[in-house]
Amino acid sequence: LAALTFMVWYFFGPEPSLSYALINAVAVLIIACPCAMGLATPTSIMVGTGRGAELGVLFRKGEALQRLKETKVAAVDKTGTLTEGKPALTDFQVTDGFEEHEVLRLVASAEAKSEHPIAHAIVQAAQQRQIALADVDAFDSITGAGIQAQVGGQQLHIGADRLMQNLGLNTDIFAGTAAALGEQGKTPLYVAIDQKLAAIIAVADPIKETTFSAIQALHDQGIKVAMITGDNRHTAEAIAKQLGIDTVIAEVLPEEKVQAVQQLQKEYGCTAFVGDGINDAPALAQADVGLAIGTGTDIAMEAADVVLMSGNLQAVPTAIGLSAATMNNIRQNLFWAFIYNAALIPVAAGVLYPFFGLLLSPILAAAAMALSSVFVVSNALRLKGYQPTWMKQREG
């Protein structure tokens, strides 16, 4: 365009045509300088990710900042994400022929070898009752089902109803109890001693105070919420009902979480998965955007695209809202930079001269070009004032 401007003024312009041609060609070249276009995207991303860090949201990948705003469904793990991750033993019922104190001693002794939060709750309950633990001769974890151990010459199996079914034990005697516990949002576990059903245990993990408002904020953003958990369906649906969760995928083994995420992707589209444990890592990698709770494991954070520094689930709608705000800001910057150049290039080329005798000085063109860059940077800096909706409501 600068070359075309030079030729038009040189061959068809008034005298001194060379001076007019040079001045107008330089003005066009300055106005067309793509500084604003080059600044439009990186400045917004830089300010957006910086504001995210201030709000406890770390974007490990730039792509996540773009994809999050497209989220249709947010899938969340239950333990440690929706809940405190600090369960407590609430119920303990034994079958005929077994004594509660002795069963709890054996169970707590076996669970002391496990690192699962539920195991800690059982051990803590035994300690509070001043029950001395026995030595464990053998211990093995059964992925997604429970544990088995040899304690004092007795064989113990502790876990979900699927574990009892695998052992060929009938749990119908506790069917009513298990259903009632599940409706209360408690997780029932069964105990088998020497291949005999001995007890049912209930563990409750309190829901985080911030979980309710976080799910409401996601719904306000038009995003569905799904819960993926290994808990039995009664417990999962009871918790989902309390929280207003749209979809429940329960009784999922760790290796099946990836399939659950794929199912949501097929049904809804862009899926974000929020988790904190080692067994959440494959699902975090499978999701369109994986968000790891910063209080969780290093493996989960390594597999995620976004790290939420606190255990506060409100950081999820914050991250999605910030993503939308940043992408809107980028579009504003690109629109301004393009329209600004498109509008002023003809002026710099001298389109107003035949009508008004006006030409744009290269000095003014340089000032206008700088103004465009200043505008783009200033608009990007507005993101520093971004506040999530839930924070505004709290302040209001």
Side-chain angles (χ1 to χ4, degrees):
L1 289 174
L4 180 62
T5 299
F6 179 88
M7 288 188 289
V8 170
W9 277 95
Y10 183 76
F11 291 109
F12 304 103
E15 292 296 334
S17 60
L18 180 60
S19 297
Y20 279 115
L22 283 172
I23 290 173
N24 290 322
V26 169
V28 168
L29 204 57
I30 293 173
I31 282 291
C33 184
C35 289
M37 295 285 285
L39 290 169
T41 299
T43 50
S44 294
I45 291 176
M46 182 179 67
V47 178
T49 53
R51 180 55 180 159
E54 292 174 353
L55 294 170
V57 179
L58 299 182
F59 291 93
R60 297 183 66 245
K61 300 177 182 178
E63 184 183 1
L65 188 62
Q66 177 181 348
R67 294 301 301 277
L68 261 179
K69 76 174 186 63
E70 301 169 6
T71 300
K72 303 299 181 185
V73 59
V76 294
D77 177 50
K78 182 180 78 70
T79 304
T81 304
L82 295 175
T83 63
E84 295 285 356
K86 299 176 182 178
L89 182 66
T90 58
D91 299 85
F92 198 104
Q93 182 179 336
V94 296
T95 58
D96 294 337
F98 291 92
E99 196 271 321
E100 182 177 325
H101 183 280
E102 178 62 16
V103 173
L104 181 56
R105 184 181 75 88
L106 294 174
V107 171
S109 299
E111 293 287 8
K113 296 294 183 180
S114 173
E115 296 182 354
H116 197 282
I118 290 178
H120 293 170
I122 295 171
V123 173
Q124 187 176 30
Q127 291 172 342
Q128 289 172 350
R129 300 185 191 186
Q130 298 182 339
I131 297 175
L133 303 184
D135 293 333
V136 178
D137 301 319
F139 176 88
D140 187 28
S141 175
I142 305 171
T143 304
I147 64 169
Q148 61 182 4
Q150 190 84 19
V151 183
Q154 293 179 289
Q155 184 71 30
L156 267 74
H157 289 85
I158 308 165
D161 53 358
R162 69 171 76 96
L163 178 59
M164 299 299 113
Q165 292 169 6
N166 292 340
L167 295 172
L169 299 178
N170 191 340
T171 59
D172 288 348
I173 188 175
F174 289 129
T177 302
L181 293 172
E183 290 172 359
Q184 297 170 25
K186 298 177 181 179
T187 302
L189 298 173
Y190 298 89
V191 180
I193 300 178
D194 292 333
Q195 300 296 315
K196 295 180 181 179
L197 186 64
I200 185 172
I201 302 172
V203 176
D205 190 2
I207 297 172
K208 295 177 183 177
E209 292 182 3
T210 55
T211 298
F212 296 91
S213 57
I215 291 176
Q216 182 58 51
L218 287 169
H219 283 152
D220 291 343
Q221 291 174 329
I223 296 170
K224 299 283 187 181
V225 181
M227 179 172 68
I228 301 176
T229 178
D231 279 359
N232 71 68
R233 183 159 296 279
H234 287 298
T235 302
E237 289 180 348
I239 292 174
K241 186 176 180 180
Q242 291 179 45
L243 295 174
I245 290 174
D246 304 289
T247 303
V248 177
I249 304 177
E251 300 178 358
V252 176
L253 296 173
E255 61 270 19
E256 294 174 344
K257 286 188 176 182
V258 171
Q259 298 172 13
V261 171
Q262 290 172 337
Q263 175 185 331
L264 292 171
Q265 288 173 320
K266 184 177 180 180
E267 183 176 352
Y268 294 102
C270 186
T271 300
F273 179 79
V274 189
D276 70 330
I278 292 175
N279 58 9
D280 293 326
L284 287 166
Q286 171 62 38
D288 295 282
V289 182
L291 299 98
I293 302 294
T295 53
T297 64
D298 291 341
I299 293 176
M301 287 187 277
E302 186 64 29
D305 306 303
V306 182
V307 176
L308 311 177
M309 294 306 294
S310 69
N312 188 342
L313 198 65
Q314 288 172 326
V316 177
T318 295
I320 293 173
L322 183 58
S323 168
T326 301
M327 296 309 298
N328 286 338
N329 193 271
I330 290 173
R331 279 193 290 269
Q332 292 166 5
N333 283 349
L334 290 172
F335 177 82
W336 166 262
F338 182 79
I339 293 299
Y340 191 88
N341 279 13
L344 287 185
I345 284 176
V347 176
V351 72
L352 297 179
Y353 186 81
F355 307 101
F356 306 103
L358 295 177
L359 290 174
L360 185 64
S361 164
I363 297 173
L364 293 177
M369 184 270 291
L371 180 63
S372 178
S373 299
V374 169
F375 176 88
V376 165
V377 173
S378 300
N379 188 51
L381 288 173
R382 290 192 308 111
L383 287 171
K384 288 184 68 67
Y386 171 79
Q387 279 191 312
T389 304
W390 63 265
M391 189 178 291
K392 292 178 183 177
Q393 292 173 344
R394 187 177 64 186
E395 292 177 354

